[in-house]
Amino acid sequence: MTSKIIETRLFINGEFRPSSNEETFDLPSARSGELLARVYEATNEDVNDAVAAAKTAFPAWAALSPYERGRFLVKLADLISESHIELAHLEAESMGRPVSSYFDAVAGSKWFRYFSEAAYPQGSSSLNTPGYINITLKQPVGVVAAIIPWNAPLVFLCKKLAPALAAGNAVVLKSSEKAPLTSLYVADLVKKAGFPPGVVNILSGHGPGAGAALASHMDVRALSFTGSNRTGKLISKMATDSNMKKLIFELGGKSPAIIFDDADVDTAARDTQFSIHLMSGQTCMANSRIYVHRNIAERFLEKFKTAFTSNRMGDPTDPNTNQGPQADKIQHATVLRYIEMGKQTGTLVTDEQSAPGFFINPTIFIDVPEDSQIMKEEIFGPVVTINTFDTEAEAVANANNTEYGLYAAVYTKDLDRAMRVASRLEAGTVGVNCTSPTKGDDTPFGGQKGSGLQRESYLHSIETFMETKSVLIKVVGL
Ligand code: TXE
């Protein structure tokens, strides 16, 4: 089945329209490299219009009850899950994601359903100041900007839009220039769901243009970003230099998995290869560094390698494919560059690259020096390092020897050790006898150190899109 691309215009104030200067950018197909679509590139003027539309729509949207806002969210959730096949094919074509592993429409629509009935943050009250009753009010921040990446565009769109809207904010979202089509598809669904104009605005365009304009905009009060650590730093500076907007960041990772010699080796090998194989290694939480106890290293490596290299690489729209190409030429070239670097420092134990197009063969390096570049930087491909360790302290020290801190895993049957290690690992999430992708929608998700700011989840996201106001009431005679 070939997807019908319905829209490539910008969605501003409830209408689709070309960019103000009518310029477009070319979107190549990840599977063929051929032109897939010409998408309108938002200009500064378009960003200003979208923010102005959101600012105008905000008061009436915020004044609705959570129940009334929730009714729009439920309609959108239904439309997204009904569009599962279309959305899967759009992502397969634009960024190579196999349709066989496309759970995003189901996962994404769950976010809208959850926030349509979420327990809203409640203010508090106190009598702790003599003569006063103090109360706190939770209020939406106003205009929220969302900047999303290309690796799981629909999931990120839903994780940001649903809580921001439920909290009463109006949103301007910019998709990634590598994967704008599913966001535009959702824009059409937003229109079908009957959202008031301006409450949701969806722009396409590049980072330094439309993205930077949003990050610097004086009327954007909060910005939720998922992407690279490098871009996070740039956005952070723009936010500070403009109006100190609130920032919610989910950045990259270099996630470690530690496998002790009492672990269930079959499970550990199966899980860890799935984590780095999923979406061709293009997930922020993929366990790209594995530390295995010397006593079981050989057995683990054999099982890991067998599973990791039994991939079915091919056309992402074929339901039998479980590994698609990298998202584009740039990502493909980046991964190949890291593989070349790896060969200078570690030992390659898988075949040399032979795959055509933007595909990368699953790649394993062993005995890689801790200070080498492939141990430090996010590769974002099906490339893993497997090093051995002798002691618990050594494994934890090496696992923590990174500027990232998104996800970590520990495999052992010893509960004391598992909990000791979990408490010492510097990561926003730790899996015990399990690894990423994370399973808990209600557990806070986000990074320590260079991996992010704040946490996202069913229970935590809404709070990040609200202000807390203290109101002090002087009561005579109290
Ligand atoms: O990311 P960018 P890219 C990592 C991963 C990958 C690398 C590069 O290692 O190989 O980043 O990917 C917008 N002002 N992750 O170049 O640049 C951009 O338009 C404002 C990990 O695609 O961070 C897009 O919408 N916005 C990550 C979004 O930021 C800017 C997912 C992400 O793009 C901007 C993606 C600017 N100056 C990549 N520059 C994860 N955490 O999962 C870019 N953008």
Side-chain angles (χ1 to χ4, degrees):
M1 181 195 155
T2 308
S3 284
K4 188 164 52 74
I5 295 158
I6 51 156
E7 254 318 333
T8 61
R9 291 175 295 173
L10 312 172
F11 185 64
I12 299 175
N13 204 22
E15 297 299 335
F16 285 100
R17 63 187 218 196
S19 47
S20 61
N21 61 7
E22 307 232 335
E23 275 187 15
T24 57
F25 63 94
D26 289 351
L27 180 71
S29 154
R31 55 174 178 156
S32 65
E34 286 165 11
L35 181 68
L36 186 60
R38 288 206 167 87
V39 180
Y40 283 97
E41 168 96 40
T43 60
N44 277 359
E45 195 181 327
D46 297 319
V47 170
N48 288 339
D49 285 356
V51 174
K55 195 175 171 184
T56 305
F58 167 67
W61 179 250
L64 294 178
S65 69
Y67 170 74
E68 288 168 314
R69 287 196 295 269
R71 289 173 56 183
F72 292 98
L73 269 60
V74 170
K75 277 191 213 152
L76 186 55
D78 289 342
L79 290 167
I80 290 173
S81 44
E82 283 161 20
S83 309
H84 169 88
I85 293 177
E86 272 300 318
L87 291 162
H89 280 261
L90 283 176
E91 287 195 4
E93 283 170 13
S94 62
M95 52 80 62
R97 174 83 176 271
V99 293
S100 64
S101 65
Y102 194 75
F103 51 82
D104 302 25
V106 175
S109 60
K110 265 169 67 185
W111 279 76
F112 281 102
R113 257 183 259 278
Y114 175 84
F115 284 107
S116 71
E117 295 187 349
Y120 288 85
Q122 303 287 315
S124 59
S125 60
S126 87
L127 289 171
N128 295 330
T129 314
Y132 286 84
I133 295 175
N134 297 343
I135 60 171
T136 58
L137 303 178
K138 296 281 180 181
Q139 295 175 302
V141 298
V143 178
V144 167
I147 299 183
I148 60 169
W150 43 269
N151 52 342
L154 183 71
V155 167
F156 291 120
L157 175 147
C158 297
K159 282 177 86 167
K160 295 183 191 311
L161 233 54
L165 293 171
N169 302 286
V171 183
V172 180
L173 177 137
K174 189 196 81 65
S175 58
S176 164
E177 59 280 13
K178 293 181 185 175
L181 300 182
T182 43
S183 296
L184 290 171
Y185 194 104
V186 172
D188 195 48
L189 302 182
V190 165
K191 203 168 162 62
K192 289 196 173 100
F195 277 80
V199 169
V200 179
N201 304 274
I202 296 191
L203 304 177
S204 316
H206 286 72
L214 278 173
S216 306
H217 206 292
M218 293 300 287
D219 287 333
V220 169
R221 295 294 166 191
L223 190 154
S224 179
F225 167 71
T226 299
S228 63
N229 177 283
R230 190 188 63 83
T231 302
K233 286 180 181 161
L234 292 173
I235 291 179
S236 176
K237 184 158 183 351
M238 290 185 268
T240 313
D241 289 348
S242 53
N243 62 349
M244 292 294 258
K245 47 186 72 65
K246 278 160 76 91
L247 295 175
I248 302 120
F249 280 179
E250 201 259 272
L251 309 174
K254 194 72 189 170
S255 300
I258 303 176
I259 326 287
F260 284 94
D261 57 357
D262 63 345
D264 176 337
V265 176
D266 288 321
T267 305
R270 190 193 59 220
D271 291 359
T272 50
Q273 76 78 31
F274 181 76
S275 171
I276 186 68
H277 188 240
L278 181 71
M279 292 160 63
S280 308
Q282 299 171 132
T283 65
C284 49
M285 52 182 142
N287 52 218
S288 49
R289 293 181 297 142
I290 296 177
Y291 295 97
V292 58
H293 194 280
R294 194 176 303 281
N295 292 346
I296 56 161
E298 209 173 307
R299 200 151 53 93
F300 174 82
L301 180 60
E302 191 191 316
K303 288 178 190 291
F304 182 96
K305 187 175 166 186
T306 305
F308 194 36
T309 53
S310 309
N311 54 333
R312 295 182 304 279
M313 216 183 247
D315 181 345
T317 60
D318 178 344
N320 292 315
T321 296
N322 73 356
Q323 187 186 330
Q326 304 309 116
D328 67 2
K329 200 174 171 175
I330 301 173
Q331 290 301 125
H332 180 250
T334 305
V335 178
L336 286 181
R337 209 167 48 245
Y338 279 113
I339 291 174
E340 284 310 307
M341 279 179 209
K343 290 199 288 199
Q344 311 303 316
T345 47
T347 306
L348 178 70
V349 294
T350 39
D351 295 339
E352 287 286 341
Q353 291 303 311
S354 56
F358 300 154
F359 289 90
I360 298 278
N361 288 330
T363 302
I364 306 172
F365 288 104
I366 60 169
D367 303 330
V368 188
E370 284 299 319
D371 60 353
S372 66
Q373 222 170 326
I374 65 161
M375 292 295 277
K376 297 278 175 219
E377 295 173 14
E378 187 175 45
I379 299 175
F380 237 47
V383 180
V384 68
T385 60
I386 303 182
N387 279 356
T388 52
F389 68 89
D390 294 299
T391 67
E392 181 181 315
E394 178 195 0
V396 172
N398 284 337
N400 287 339
N401 185 14
T402 169
E403 276 307 306
Y404 288 109
L406 191 59
Y407 201 103
V410 51
Y411 282 81
T412 176
K413 293 199 179 99
D414 179 338
L415 182 63
D416 291 333
R417 176 156 62 193
M419 294 318 297
R420 242 184 352 258
V421 171
S423 75
R424 289 177 186 154
L425 284 169
E426 295 163 358
T429 303
V430 178
V432 175
N433 293 319
C434 62
T435 183
S436 61
T438 192
K439 314 292 182 296
D441 283 332
D442 63 340
T443 52
F445 184 76
Q448 292 189 6
K449 305 198 290 191
S451 285
L453 299 172
Q454 309 256 24
R455 296 292 181 268
E456 293 180 299
S457 79
Y458 283 169
L459 299 177
H460 294 77
S461 287
I462 207 158
E463 183 89 40
T464 62
F465 293 114
M466 298 190 110
E467 290 286 7
T468 302
K469 180 187 288 170
S470 295
V471 181
L472 313 180
I473 308 161
K474 190 167 182 181
V475 181
V476 177
L478 185 69

